[in-house]
PDB file of all heavy atoms in Angstrom:
ATOM      1  N   GLY N 130      15.603   5.618  -6.888  1.00  0.00           N
ATOM      2  CA  GLY N 130      15.999   6.975  -6.537  1.00  0.00           C
ATOM      3  C   GLY N 130      16.804   7.011  -5.251  1.00  0.00           C
ATOM      4  O   GLY N 130      17.837   7.675  -5.158  1.00  0.00           O
ATOM      5  N   LEU N 131      16.347   6.240  -4.261  1.00  0.00           N
ATOM      6  CA  LEU N 131      17.057   6.233  -2.983  1.00  0.00           C
ATOM      7  C   LEU N 131      18.437   5.590  -3.124  1.00  0.00           C
ATOM      8  O   LEU N 131      19.421   6.094  -2.576  1.00  0.00           O
ATOM      9  CB  LEU N 131      16.239   5.488  -1.929  1.00  0.00           C
ATOM     10  CG  LEU N 131      15.362   6.393  -1.069  1.00  0.00           C
ATOM     11  CD1 LEU N 131      14.405   5.574  -0.253  1.00  0.00           C
ATOM     12  CD2 LEU N 131      16.208   7.271  -0.165  1.00  0.00           C
ATOM     13  N   SER N 132      18.503   4.491  -3.892  1.00  0.00           N
ATOM     14  CA  SER N 132      19.802   3.843  -4.096  1.00  0.00           C
ATOM     15  C   SER N 132      20.781   4.834  -4.696  1.00  0.00           C
ATOM     16  O   SER N 132      21.935   4.928  -4.274  1.00  0.00           O
ATOM     17  CB  SER N 132      19.677   2.657  -5.048  1.00  0.00           C
ATOM     18  OG  SER N 132      18.640   1.828  -4.667  1.00  0.00           O
ATOM     19  N   ALA N 133      20.305   5.575  -5.719  1.00  0.00           N
ATOM     20  CA  ALA N 133      21.182   6.542  -6.376  1.00  0.00           C
ATOM     21  C   ALA N 133      21.646   7.602  -5.394  1.00  0.00           C
ATOM     22  O   ALA N 133      22.826   7.982  -5.386  1.00  0.00           O
ATOM     23  CB  ALA N 133      20.469   7.184  -7.556  1.00  0.00           C
ATOM     24  N   SER N 134      20.729   8.066  -4.527  1.00  0.00           N
ATOM     25  CA  SER N 134      21.148   9.141  -3.640  1.00  0.00           C
ATOM     26  C   SER N 134      22.067   8.629  -2.528  1.00  0.00           C
ATOM     27  O   SER N 134      22.976   9.318  -2.101  1.00  0.00           O
ATOM     28  CB  SER N 134      19.954   9.908  -3.091  1.00  0.00           C
ATOM     29  OG  SER N 134      19.364   9.209  -2.041  1.00  0.00           O
ATOM     30  N   TYR N 135      21.858   7.379  -2.090  1.00  0.00           N
ATOM     31  CA  TYR N 135      22.807   6.795  -1.124  1.00  0.00           C
ATOM     32  C   TYR N 135      24.202   6.716  -1.737  1.00  0.00           C
ATOM     33  O   TYR N 135      25.197   7.073  -1.117  1.00  0.00           O
ATOM     34  CB  TYR N 135      22.385   5.379  -0.722  1.00  0.00           C
ATOM     35  CG  TYR N 135      21.194   5.291   0.187  1.00  0.00           C
ATOM     36  CD1 TYR N 135      20.388   4.166   0.192  1.00  0.00           C
ATOM     37  CD2 TYR N 135      20.878   6.325   1.068  1.00  0.00           C
ATOM     38  CE1 TYR N 135      19.286   4.061   1.022  1.00  0.00           C
ATOM     39  CE2 TYR N 135      19.775   6.230   1.906  1.00  0.00           C
ATOM     40  CZ  TYR N 135      18.984   5.102   1.871  1.00  0.00           C
ATOM     41  OH  TYR N 135      17.889   4.991   2.696  1.00  0.00           O
ATOM     42  N   LEU N 136      24.248   6.240  -2.977  1.00  0.00           N
ATOM     43  CA  LEU N 136      25.557   6.085  -3.613  1.00  0.00           C
ATOM     44  C   LEU N 136      26.221   7.434  -3.844  1.00  0.00           C
ATOM     45  O   LEU N 136      27.435   7.579  -3.655  1.00  0.00           O
ATOM     46  CB  LEU N 136      25.416   5.334  -4.934  1.00  0.00           C
ATOM     47  CG  LEU N 136      25.921   3.893  -4.895  1.00  0.00           C
ATOM     48  CD1 LEU N 136      25.744   3.238  -6.231  1.00  0.00           C
ATOM     49  CD2 LEU N 136      27.391   3.824  -4.472  1.00  0.00           C
ATOM     50  N   ALA N 137      25.434   8.427  -4.231  1.00  0.00           N
ATOM     51  CA  ALA N 137      25.999   9.757  -4.432  1.00  0.00           C
ATOM     52  C   ALA N 137      26.598  10.284  -3.134  1.00  0.00           C
ATOM     53  O   ALA N 137      27.676  10.891  -3.122  1.00  0.00           O
ATOM     54  CB  ALA N 137      24.920  10.711  -4.949  1.00  0.00           C
ATOM     55  N   GLN N 138      25.898  10.018  -2.041  1.00  0.00           N
ATOM     56  CA  GLN N 138      26.383  10.429  -0.725  1.00  0.00           C
ATOM     57  C   GLN N 138      27.732   9.767  -0.416  1.00  0.00           C
ATOM     58  O   GLN N 138      28.684  10.412   0.030  1.00  0.00           O
ATOM     59  CB  GLN N 138      25.344   9.993   0.320  1.00  0.00           C
ATOM     60  CG  GLN N 138      25.509  10.617   1.670  1.00  0.00           C
ATOM     61  CD  GLN N 138      24.752  11.936   1.732  1.00  0.00           C
ATOM     62  OE1 GLN N 138      23.690  12.056   1.145  1.00  0.00           O
ATOM     63  NE2 GLN N 138      25.323  12.911   2.411  1.00  0.00           N
ATOM     64  N   ILE N 139      27.802   8.473  -0.693  1.00  0.00           N
ATOM     65  CA  ILE N 139      29.048   7.743  -0.420  1.00  0.00           C
ATOM     66  C   ILE N 139      30.184   8.285  -1.290  1.00  0.00           C
ATOM     67  O   ILE N 139      31.307   8.491  -0.819  1.00  0.00           O
ATOM     68  CB  ILE N 139      28.849   6.234  -0.677  1.00  0.00           C
ATOM     69  CG1 ILE N 139      27.861   5.678   0.335  1.00  0.00           C
ATOM     70  CG2 ILE N 139      30.164   5.484  -0.580  1.00  0.00           C
ATOM     71  CD1 ILE N 139      27.385   4.280   0.025  1.00  0.00           C
ATOM     72  N   LEU N 140      29.851   8.556  -2.555  1.00  0.00           N
ATOM     73  CA  LEU N 140      30.888   9.099  -3.445  1.00  0.00           C
ATOM     74  C   LEU N 140      31.377  10.452  -2.951  1.00  0.00           C
ATOM     75  O   LEU N 140      32.568  10.758  -3.010  1.00  0.00           O
ATOM     76  CB  LEU N 140      30.337   9.234  -4.871  1.00  0.00           C
ATOM     77  CG  LEU N 140      30.256   7.939  -5.663  1.00  0.00           C
ATOM     78  CD1 LEU N 140      29.618   8.187  -7.013  1.00  0.00           C
ATOM     79  CD2 LEU N 140      31.637   7.329  -5.842  1.00  0.00           C
ATOM     80  N   GLN N 141      30.454  11.249  -2.425  1.00  0.00           N
ATOM     81  CA  GLN N 141      30.839  12.558  -1.917  1.00  0.00           C
ATOM     82  C   GLN N 141      31.810  12.418  -0.746  1.00  0.00           C
ATOM     83  O   GLN N 141      32.836  13.089  -0.681  1.00  0.00           O
ATOM     84  CB  GLN N 141      29.581  13.308  -1.488  1.00  0.00           C
ATOM     85  CG  GLN N 141      29.706  14.797  -1.620  1.00  0.00           C
ATOM     86  CD  GLN N 141      28.444  15.493  -1.123  1.00  0.00           C
ATOM     87  OE1 GLN N 141      27.383  14.885  -1.049  1.00  0.00           O
ATOM     88  NE2 GLN N 141      28.573  16.747  -0.774  1.00  0.00           N
ATOM     89  N   ASP N 142      31.475  11.515   0.155  1.00  0.00           N
ATOM     90  CA  ASP N 142      32.373  11.225   1.275  1.00  0.00           C
ATOM     91  C   ASP N 142      33.737  10.782   0.774  1.00  0.00           C
ATOM     92  O   ASP N 142      34.778  11.226   1.260  1.00  0.00           O
ATOM     93  CB  ASP N 142      31.802  10.081   2.131  1.00  0.00           C
ATOM     94  CG  ASP N 142      30.793  10.592   3.125  1.00  0.00           C
ATOM     95  OD1 ASP N 142      30.516  11.814   3.091  1.00  0.00           O
ATOM     96  OD2 ASP N 142      30.286   9.773   3.899  1.00  0.00           O
ATOM     97  N   TYR N 143      33.678   9.894  -0.199  1.00  0.00           N
ATOM     98  CA  TYR N 143      34.908   9.341  -0.757  1.00  0.00           C
ATOM     99  C   TYR N 143      35.748  10.450  -1.385  1.00  0.00           C
ATOM    100  O   TYR N 143      36.959  10.534  -1.166  1.00  0.00           O
ATOM    101  CB  TYR N 143      34.540   8.280  -1.787  1.00  0.00           C
ATOM    102  CG  TYR N 143      35.703   7.734  -2.570  1.00  0.00           C
ATOM    103  CD1 TYR N 143      36.538   6.768  -2.023  1.00  0.00           C
ATOM    104  CD2 TYR N 143      35.964   8.185  -3.869  1.00  0.00           C
ATOM    105  CE1 TYR N 143      37.603   6.267  -2.735  1.00  0.00           C
ATOM    106  CE2 TYR N 143      37.025   7.685  -4.589  1.00  0.00           C
ATOM    107  CZ  TYR N 143      37.842   6.724  -4.022  1.00  0.00           C
ATOM    108  OH  TYR N 143      38.899   6.233  -4.732  1.00  0.00           O
ATOM    109  N   ASN N 144      35.070  11.337  -2.120  1.00  0.00           N
ATOM    110  CA  ASN N 144      35.784  12.446  -2.749  1.00  0.00           C
ATOM    111  C   ASN N 144      36.457  13.340  -1.717  1.00  0.00           C
ATOM    112  O   ASN N 144      37.595  13.766  -1.900  1.00  0.00           O
ATOM    113  CB  ASN N 144      34.825  13.296  -3.585  1.00  0.00           C
ATOM    114  CG  ASN N 144      34.397  12.568  -4.835  1.00  0.00           C
ATOM    115  OD1 ASN N 144      35.057  11.623  -5.258  1.00  0.00           O
ATOM    116  ND2 ASN N 144      33.285  12.987  -5.409  1.00  0.00           N
ATOM    117  N   GLN N 145      35.726  13.614  -0.646  1.00  0.00           N
ATOM    118  CA  GLN N 145      36.309  14.476   0.383  1.00  0.00           C
ATOM    119  C   GLN N 145      37.526  13.801   1.005  1.00  0.00           C
ATOM    120  O   GLN N 145      38.542  14.444   1.265  1.00  0.00           O
ATOM    121  CB  GLN N 145      35.261  14.772   1.455  1.00  0.00           C
ATOM    122  CG  GLN N 145      34.099  15.567   0.884  1.00  0.00           C
ATOM    123  CD  GLN N 145      33.180  16.122   1.951  1.00  0.00           C
ATOM    124  OE1 GLN N 145      33.253  15.729   3.112  1.00  0.00           O
ATOM    125  NE2 GLN N 145      32.314  17.033   1.546  1.00  0.00           N
ATOM    126  N   GLN N 146      37.420  12.489   1.182  1.00  0.00           N
ATOM    127  CA  GLN N 146      38.539  11.737   1.751  1.00  0.00           C
ATOM    128  C   GLN N 146      39.763  11.819   0.837  1.00  0.00           C
ATOM    129  O   GLN N 146      40.883  12.071   1.292  1.00  0.00           O
ATOM    130  CB  GLN N 146      38.083  10.293   1.920  1.00  0.00           C
ATOM    131  CG  GLN N 146      39.003   9.414   2.730  1.00  0.00           C
ATOM    132  CD  GLN N 146      38.504   7.969   2.676  1.00  0.00           C
ATOM    133  OE1 GLN N 146      37.318   7.714   2.763  1.00  0.00           O
ATOM    134  NE2 GLN N 146      39.424   7.030   2.516  1.00  0.00           N
ATOM    135  N   VAL N 147      39.511  11.639  -0.483  1.00  0.00           N
ATOM    136  CA  VAL N 147      40.621  11.705  -1.437  1.00  0.00           C
ATOM    137  C   VAL N 147      41.222  13.107  -1.464  1.00  0.00           C
ATOM    138  O   VAL N 147      42.445  13.284  -1.464  1.00  0.00           O
ATOM    139  CB  VAL N 147      40.134  11.307  -2.852  1.00  0.00           C
ATOM    140  CG1 VAL N 147      41.237  11.486  -3.878  1.00  0.00           C
ATOM    141  CG2 VAL N 147      39.654   9.885  -2.853  1.00  0.00           C
ATOM    142  N   GLN N 148      40.321  14.084  -1.426  1.00  0.00           N
ATOM    143  CA  GLN N 148      40.784  15.463  -1.481  1.00  0.00           C
ATOM    144  C   GLN N 148      41.635  15.809  -0.258  1.00  0.00           C
ATOM    145  O   GLN N 148      42.643  16.499  -0.365  1.00  0.00           O
ATOM    146  CB  GLN N 148      39.570  16.395  -1.561  1.00  0.00           C
ATOM    147  CG  GLN N 148      39.855  17.690  -2.279  1.00  0.00           C
ATOM    148  CD  GLN N 148      38.595  18.516  -2.455  1.00  0.00           C
ATOM    149  OE1 GLN N 148      37.493  18.072  -2.181  1.00  0.00           O
ATOM    150  NE2 GLN N 148      38.775  19.745  -2.910  1.00  0.00           N
ATOM    151  N   LEU N 149      41.192  15.294   0.875  1.00  0.00           N
ATOM    152  CA  LEU N 149      41.951  15.552   2.108  1.00  0.00           C
ATOM    153  C   LEU N 149      43.335  14.915   2.036  1.00  0.00           C
ATOM    154  O   LEU N 149      44.323  15.480   2.494  1.00  0.00           O
ATOM    155  CB  LEU N 149      41.214  14.982   3.314  1.00  0.00           C
ATOM    156  CG  LEU N 149      40.121  15.852   3.927  1.00  0.00           C
ATOM    157  CD1 LEU N 149      39.445  15.115   5.055  1.00  0.00           C
ATOM    158  CD2 LEU N 149      40.705  17.158   4.418  1.00  0.00           C
ATOM    159  N   LYS N 150      43.365  13.721   1.428  1.00  0.00           N
ATOM    160  CA  LYS N 150      44.637  13.009   1.314  1.00  0.00           C
ATOM    161  C   LYS N 150      45.613  13.805   0.448  1.00  0.00           C
ATOM    162  O   LYS N 150      46.812  13.850   0.695  1.00  0.00           O
ATOM    163  CB  LYS N 150      44.393  11.628   0.710  1.00  0.00           C
ATOM    164  CG  LYS N 150      45.276  10.592   1.329  1.00  0.00           C
ATOM    165  CD  LYS N 150      44.866   9.151   1.108  1.00  0.00           C
ATOM    166  CE  LYS N 150      44.291   8.787  -0.233  1.00  0.00           C
ATOM    167  NZ  LYS N 150      43.836   7.405  -0.326  1.00  0.00           N
ATOM    168  N   MET N 151      45.078  14.452  -0.592  1.00  0.00           N
ATOM    169  CA  MET N 151      45.943  15.168  -1.522  1.00  0.00           C
ATOM    170  C   MET N 151      46.309  16.550  -1.005  1.00  0.00           C
ATOM    171  O   MET N 151      47.425  17.022  -1.227  1.00  0.00           O
ATOM    172  CB  MET N 151      45.257  15.292  -2.876  1.00  0.00           C
ATOM    173  CG  MET N 151      45.137  13.947  -3.555  1.00  0.00           C
ATOM    174  SD  MET N 151      44.354  14.120  -5.136  1.00  0.00           S
ATOM    175  CE  MET N 151      44.332  12.425  -5.660  1.00  0.00           C
TER     176      MET N 151
END
Side-chain angles (χ1 to χ4, degrees):
Chain N
L131 265 169
S132 310
S134 79
Y135 287 153
L136 254 180
Q138 194 88 36
I139 294 169
L140 282 176
Q141 210 182 339
D142 276 3
Y143 173 80
N144 288 341
Q145 296 192 347
Q146 191 187 318
V147 175
Q148 209 174 352
L149 276 177
K150 217 163 38 184
M151 291 181 181

